[in-house]
Amino acid sequence: MMINGWWLPVVVSALCMGIYDICKKDAVKDNSVMPALFFTVLSGTLFFMAGAVCSGNLLNTLRCSFVEYFFVLIKSVIISSSWICVCGNCRLLSHLRSVQLLRYGLLSAES
C-alpha cells in the first residue's frame, strides 16, 4: 500500500490546531473574551508570518485580491461573534445556576 506524502503534514496540522483550540478555550475560561482572542490570533499570525519569512514566501503570502481579504474579514467577524455569544451565554448560565442553587438553599450566599 502506497501512502501519499501529504498525510503527515495534514495530521501534524490537525494536532496543532487541536492543541491551539484547547489552549484558546482554556485562556477565555476565566478571562475577558476579546483580549484572549486578540492575543491568540496575534500569536498565530506572528508564527505564520515567521514561517513565511523563513521560507522566503512572504510576498506571495500577502498577494491577495480585495475579495479574498474581504472573505477573511467576514470569517473573522463570524468567529469572533460566535466566541462572544458562547462565552457570554456560559457566564449567564453559570450565574443563573448559582441563583437557582441559592433559591433552593443548596448554595450559601457567602460563596
Side-chain angles (χ1 to χ4, degrees):
M1 181 169 118
M2 187 73 148
I3 298 177
N4 291 335
W6 54 265
W7 71 271
L8 184 61
V10 169
V11 170
V12 170
S13 174
L15 287 173
C16 289
M17 285 299 295
I19 292 169
Y20 173 77
D21 280 341
I22 289 170
C23 292
K24 185 168 53 172
K25 288 176 182 172
D26 188 52
V28 297
K29 189 184 329 177
D30 295 324
N31 296 319
S32 181
V33 175
M34 290 310 288
L37 284 177
F38 173 76
F39 287 114
T40 56
V41 170
L42 179 65
S43 64
T45 302
L46 292 175
F47 184 74
F48 175 76
M49 294 300 282
V53 168
C54 290
S55 68
N57 291 328
L58 180 62
L59 293 179
N60 290 337
T61 305
L62 298 176
R63 198 172 295 144
C64 295
S65 69
F66 177 75
V67 174
E68 292 167 328
Y69 281 118
F70 184 69
F71 286 148
V72 170
L73 177 68
I74 290 173
K75 176 194 172 273
S76 301
V77 168
I78 291 170
I79 298 295
S80 297
S81 63
S82 72
W83 271 93
I84 292 168
C85 291
V86 166
C87 291
N89 285 337
C90 287
R91 289 189 180 124
L92 176 64
L93 290 175
S94 175
H95 175 71
L96 291 177
R97 178 142 172 83
S98 297
V99 168
Q100 189 178 30
L101 291 174
L102 278 172
R103 188 168 129 197
Y104 293 115
L106 301 173
L107 184 69
S108 67
E110 291 83 35
S111 57

